Amino acid sequence: NTAAGFTASGQWLQAIRCYEAILAGGQPLVHEAAEARLHLATLLLQHTNNVFDARGKLEHAVLELGVHWRHTALLCCLLEQLAIALSLLGEHRALKQRLDQGVALCRDAMG
């Protein structure tokens, strides 16, 4: 089974372990690592109480992907999930900064 297969079948813990293994082993491409971190963080936010770890994964992915503008949709998804994590943690100043970053990203993407 793959991480996506475990997710689809509701086997959250197995999916989390698969995404962690993907990130721990080898050197995935930047966008592949960002996608894995997005899926992992989303699972952590939805099915665990590990908001801090989810936030860390999302921030790592945003920083890593930030210079790769051709992945704008992925970056927007990362920022959306990060906003959720920051809101859950009550970090309103950081939330506003990330939302401002997302708005700037959208403006740049629209030309």
Side-chain angles (χ1 to χ4, degrees), residues 8-59:
S9 65
Q11 298 178 54
W12 318 125
L13 183 58
Q14 292 87 340
I16 289 169
R17 288 181 179 155
C18 281
Y19 285 119
E20 288 174 341
I22 290 167
L23 293 168
Q27 297 273 28
L29 296 173
V30 172
H31 73 280
E32 290 173 347
E35 286 177 0
R37 285 186 180 88
L38 173 62
H39 293 301
L40 174 56
T42 301
L43 287 169
L44 292 172
L45 288 172
Q46 291 177 351
H47 302 290
T48 75
N49 292 322
N50 201 343
V51 179
F52 288 104
D53 194 27
R55 173 189 168 192
K57 303 274 187 244
L58 292 163
E59 286 180 336

Side-chain angles (χ1 to χ4, degrees), residues 38-110:
L38 173 62
H39 293 301
L40 174 56
T42 301
L43 287 169
L44 292 172
L45 288 172
Q46 291 177 351
H47 302 290
T48 75
N49 292 322
N50 201 343
V51 179
F52 288 104
D53 194 27
R55 173 189 168 192
K57 303 274 187 244
L58 292 163
E59 286 180 336
H60 184 140
V62 167
L63 289 173
E64 215 172 46
L65 195 64
V67 297
H68 299 276
W69 290 104
R70 68 174 185 252
H71 299 291
T72 305
L74 176 56
L75 191 53
C76 288
C77 290
L78 288 163
L79 290 170
E80 178 183 27
Q81 289 300 309
L82 183 54
I84 291 168
L86 292 171
S87 178
L88 289 170
L89 292 170
E91 296 185 20
H92 302 293
R93 176 181 243 172
L95 175 59
K96 183 182 179 326
Q97 290 172 341
R98 289 301 182 186
L99 291 175
D100 288 345
Q101 181 184 8
V103 168
L105 171 67
C106 292
R107 282 187 187 135
D108 289 346
M110 294 172 72

